[in-house]
Amino acid sequence: MKKLLITALMISAAAFAFAQDKEGASSLSEPDPTIIGNDSAKQALREVSVDRFEVEGSWNATISPDYGVVTSRLFDGNPALKEPVKGDEQAEDTKVLGIRVDFFRRGVNSFFIRSTRPIPIEGVTKTVSVWACGRNMDHEVYLLVQDYYGNNFELYLGNLGFSGWKKMTVAIPPTPDGEHGIIQQSAYNGTRPGLRIVGFRVDCNPMLARGTYYLYLDDLRAVTDLYDVENRDEDDMMDDW
């Protein structure tokens, strides 16, 4: 009887640990914006659309001419599981951005997908997401951003080794002291947007960087804290002179 009781307790503990691991894995794959850099109860989180990839020529793809040729264009389409941003359901959203890479040879190389100009996001950005169709190739994609002072950073979005569309999300790490890391706001000048999206970099798997590769992107979004923006007094002066 004592052995049965011990065995039952061990099974219960293992089940609990498995549940905790599963919950932790879920939180890592889908960061919770409510707890990122949450040092105050004063938050006004909003999901905003950054770019829907609807305007031809607004994004450019490049690769070193030593490694291959890359082209980009818009296509009609949409991820079936994508839901519209609340309050913005009527906005046009019928296109996706397609990127085609023709490799000259296998090797260690990367290609870039950049906006024609950095896209600003108001408030303090917590997470950035984009829908991607990676054709089940183990290439790595990074988000390229600029902070409040124009410093460039790259954030790991994930691996493209999956079939069909997938929403890829990355958390924007808060600055530990206001002077290091990605700085999104400053007490000296609060009128500029804190984060700008520059584009993406795809690091190719050397064994798979051959032939022709296709990548599709859609619906670039951010979850941002607009507390300071929404609670600014109407009669407050703008420190931009």
Side-chain angles (χ1 to χ4, degrees), residues 40-90:
S40 171
K42 298 177 180 179
Q43 286 197 111
L45 297 181
R46 303 285 185 273
E47 185 178 41
V48 298
S49 176
V50 178
D51 195 276
R52 299 184 183 87
F53 302 98
E54 297 293 308
V55 180
E56 193 74 62
S58 58
W59 291 80
N60 299 313
T62 59
I63 191 174
S64 170
D66 295 332
Y67 295 124
V69 177
V70 61
T71 55
S72 62
R73 52 164 291 196
L74 298 182
F75 291 88
D76 293 330
N78 248 326
L81 298 178
K82 182 182 69 176
E83 296 181 357
V85 175
K86 292 182 180 179
D88 206 11
E89 291 84 359
Q90 303 303 317

Side-chain angles (χ1 to χ4, degrees), residues 103-215:
F103 295 105
F104 292 156
R105 60 183 180 275
R106 282 193 299 203
V108 179
N109 54 64
S110 304
F111 63 91
F112 296 84
I113 307 149
R114 295 187 179 95
S115 175
T116 54
R117 63 181 63 185
I119 306 174
I121 305 175
E122 282 192 308
V124 178
T125 304
K126 302 293 185 177
T127 64
V128 175
S129 65
V130 66
W131 282 85
C133 184
R135 290 293 182 257
N136 203 20
M137 291 285 186
D138 286 328
H139 305 316
E140 309 284 345
V141 58
Y142 293 80
L143 177 71
L144 307 179
V145 300
Q146 287 181 350
D147 73 353
Y148 182 88
Y149 293 110
N151 299 315
N152 293 300
F153 295 88
E154 56 185 49
L155 301 171
Y156 181 66
L157 258 175
N159 186 285
L160 293 170
F162 53 85
S163 299
W165 287 98
K166 178 182 177 181
K167 182 181 179 182
M168 307 182 74
T169 305
V170 61
I172 308 300
T175 171
D177 53 9
E179 296 183 1
H180 301 87
I182 301 178
I183 301 173
Q184 297 196 54
Q185 60 185 355
S186 170
Y188 297 101
N189 187 349
T191 60
R192 282 204 311 262
L195 193 75
R196 294 171 178 83
I197 304 297
V198 176
F200 306 91
R201 189 187 79 233
V202 179
D203 291 345
C204 302
N205 185 318
M207 299 302 296
L208 302 176
R210 61 185 178 87
T212 301
Y213 174 65
Y214 295 93
L215 171 65

